[in-house]
Structures are given as C-alpha cells and as structure tokens.
Amino acid sequence: MSTRAERTAVIEDLEREFKNAAGIYITDNHKITVEVVTRLRNELRKSGVRYIVVKNTLAKEACKRVGIETLNPYFKGPTAVAVAPKDSTVPAKILRDFRKDLKDLLELRAAYVDGSTFTGAQAEKLADLPSREVLLAQLLGVMKAPIGNMAGVLNGILSTFVGTLEAVKEKKGA
C-alpha cells in the first residue's frame, strides 16, 4: 500500500467491518501456512465470518475510529482478524477446533465481543458458551418453571379441597 488513498480505503473498510461486528478475534498469523489459512477462511466463511490479514497500523486506526482502542495492544507482529457480524462466539469455536489440529500454530491473542475485550485465554472460554438460541431456550425454561410449579401447587390445593368436600359429603350422606 503505497498511496494515502489506498490506506484510507483499507482503514474505512476495516472500520465498517469492526462497526458492524458482534465479535472481533485477533490471531497471530506468523507460523501458519497458506494452505491452512485457506482451510480456516473457508470454514469461517461457511458461518458468515470474515478472516482478514491486516496491517497493524491500519487496524489500530480503524479501532480508534470505532472506539475499541482496547484491542490496539494486541496488534503486534503478523496479525489476522476474524470478524463475526452475527453470532459473536462462532469464531471462538472454529478457532478452538483449528488450534486442536495445529497445536501452537494459531495463537488467539484477544477478542472483542459484545462490548467487552477478552485476552486470548478468556476468549478461548467463549467457545464453550452455548449458542444464542440455546441460551434463549434455557432462559425461557427458567422463566416458565415457577409459573408451572405454581399452577401445580394450586391444582394440588384445589384437588385436596375437592377430595375433602367429597369425604364430608359421603360421611354425612352415608
């Protein structure tokens, strides 16, 4: 990138990506081969995630413009960024699976998910979180349980009351 216009275009593209992202994952792109990067990109693309090799100074400027400067210390050395526009934990799961195969070749440096910055170790734990749909279903179940329990208790009280009335009726009628 030699001209100022090209640099500005790259910064604006990264700014757009970062602004619309639910999750941003910064990885070390140092020891990884082109073949592996291509496999990783294809896997991420299936989930709607972009994997972009970035120039650190341009990525830092884009982060500054978007207001997520907490990521700037992690832009050192050869760097790539996985940007998830929808489900913020999908890249964490895919990167974790790739790390199992590659051992230490793909280092996760940091992540920015839903307004919070996580270190590499913390970001790896995001992969263990259930998907948004599963979390919503669990929340609904938790919210529904007390109402169901209360209905059961009220039904039990009513059944006991009716049973008592029947017993009194039989005793007086017999």
Side-chain angles (χ1 to χ4, degrees):
M1 284 178 244
S2 58
T3 68
R4 184 179 209 79
E6 290 172 335
R7 290 176 191 236
T8 304
V10 170
I11 292 171
E12 288 172 354
D13 184 42
L14 287 173
E15 182 182 356
R16 254 189 318 277
E17 291 283 340
F18 293 167
K19 194 178 289 185
N20 297 326
I24 302 169
Y25 293 78
I26 301 172
T27 63
D28 184 351
N29 200 33
H30 179 234
K31 303 173 192 171
I32 198 164
T33 65
V34 174
E35 176 189 336
V36 174
V37 168
T38 303
R39 273 193 4 237
L40 177 60
R41 267 199 180 115
N42 290 336
E43 195 66 33
L44 288 166
R45 194 175 296 127
K46 289 177 189 174
S47 301
V49 178
R50 284 196 62 201
Y51 191 67
I52 311 162
V53 176
V54 295
K55 187 167 183 175
N56 294 330
T57 54
L58 303 181
K60 286 178 182 180
E61 180 61 29
C63 284
K64 181 179 174 185
R65 290 182 182 187
V66 176
I68 50 175
E69 294 178 65
T70 55
L71 288 179
N72 285 353
Y74 300 101
F75 287 109
K76 292 180 182 174
T79 305
V81 179
V83 182
K86 294 179 185 170
D87 192 353
S88 58
T89 59
V90 167
K93 294 172 185 173
I94 294 171
L95 291 169
R96 176 192 60 194
D97 293 343
F98 261 81
R99 282 182 52 91
K100 286 179 186 175
D101 297 338
L102 302 175
K103 306 289 181 242
D104 296 328
L105 293 182
L106 184 65
E107 177 191 350
L108 179 58
R109 293 183 189 159
Y112 183 81
V113 177
D114 297 328
S116 300
T117 302
F118 299 94
T119 64
Q122 293 169 334
E124 286 181 11
K125 292 179 183 174
L126 293 173
D128 297 329
L129 289 176
S131 68
R132 184 175 190 273
E133 291 77 20
V134 171
L135 288 174
L136 288 173
Q138 290 174 349
L139 177 64
L140 183 61
V142 168
M143 291 171 62
K144 183 180 159 191
I147 295 169
N149 291 343
M150 187 172 129
V153 168
L154 292 175
N155 189 31
I157 292 171
L158 188 57
S159 297
T160 304
F161 180 68
V162 169
T164 304
L165 287 178
E166 285 291 324
V168 171
K169 177 183 167 189
E170 285 180 20
K171 189 174 185 180
K172 286 191 177 187

